[in-house]
Amino acid sequence: MGPSVTFDDVRAAEARIRGLVRRTPVLTSSVLDERAGARLFFKCENFQKAGVFKARGAHNAVFALSEDEAAAGVLTHSSGNHGAALSLAARRRGIPAHIVVPEGASAAKVEAIRRYGGQVTFSPATLPGREAAAARIRGETGARLVHPYDDPLIIAGQGTAALELLAEVPGLEAVVAPVGGGGLLSGTALAAKGLDPRLRVFGAEPAGADDAARSLAAGRFIPQENPRTIADGLRTSLGQLTFPILRERLEGVLTVPEDEIVEAMRLAWQVMKIVIEPSSAVPLAALLGSGSPLRGRRVGVILSGGNVDLDRLPWIKA
């Protein structure tokens, strides 16, 4: 049985969201090239609408709905970035967005959800708690549930970042993206392999939240348990849709320790003069590590977002 999301779906998403999201810039840095021993091309989704790649999938999902489907609004559970992106897309279509947010989520990301018009409901931080709150709201409103990553329209939308990167930078040998639930990495793999089956696609993951690396090594889904990482966007498990896509198309998952994530984030701020969040720094950290398999290669790097709580920067001690 083939995947439930295809390269054609990514192409359709590209057409659907054109003009709704930004075509983000691709930046380079000779300093980071030297440190990585590779030629790096950074797709800067930190400059995307809502400050994160998730605007792509959210707009694809919201604008693919029929008028009848959209009327009751949309609903999701999210630690922040997907909720903000879905709120923005819903506002632009003129429909409600109900966002279930786990207690303890980043204050900056909750503020962004509200700024974009999302209606926030807090829930326990556990997945069952989030899902129960979402089910209650769905029963009350009839809103359409848009899963943060395990949704065909979300996956296809996220893949458009890689389509743009590969159109702008010919001759790439590999693409690296962070992996949490796997929506971005699945879309990236579909786009990259659809354009050039020889392209190598890698995920990058915190060592303290390495369910994707363990699942792919074992050949079976292993859920995330007690993730310990500053990269709050990468604490979720792979999904039923994303795992088979990655198992079929991924070269591997590179894992990195916390101190290297923080150092890579700080280095991007210092050297590239751009704001990225910890999840975005994970692929850079993997490429800067001594064990990187991509030295000497031309590598595309998806910088997933730039939504940082400026009062809680990881290199500032309390």
Side-chain angles (χ1 to χ4, degrees), residues 14-15 35 53 55 58 62 72 78 84 93 114 139 155 191 203 209 222 226 296 305:
E14 182 182 42
R35 293 212 184 187
F53 75 93
V62 166
S78 166
R93 185 149 184 195
R114 290 183 166 138
I155 293 168
I222 299 174
N226 194 28

Side-chain angles (χ1 to χ4, degrees), residues 255-267:
T255 59
V256 288
E258 291 297 290
D259 60 334
E260 293 181 18
I261 296 170
V262 174
E263 177 57 27
M265 177 179 169
R266 181 168 182 160
L267 199 58

Side-chain angles (χ1 to χ4, degrees), residues 226-280:
N226 194 28
R228 295 180 178 273
T229 178
I230 191 174
D232 61 315
L234 306 183
R235 293 172 184 160
T236 48
S237 296
L238 294 177
Q240 294 182 357
L241 292 179
T242 60
F243 175 60
I245 293 171
L246 297 179
R247 183 175 55 191
E248 184 177 330
R249 291 168 174 80
L250 214 61
E251 189 89 11
V253 177
L254 313 173
T255 59
V256 288
E258 291 297 290
D259 60 334
E260 293 181 18
I261 296 170
V262 174
E263 177 57 27
M265 177 179 169
R266 181 168 182 160
L267 199 58
W269 285 46
Q270 287 179 329
V271 173
M272 297 181 71
K273 316 303 180 191
I274 60 173
V275 173
I276 63 169
E277 60 188 272
S279 299
S280 291

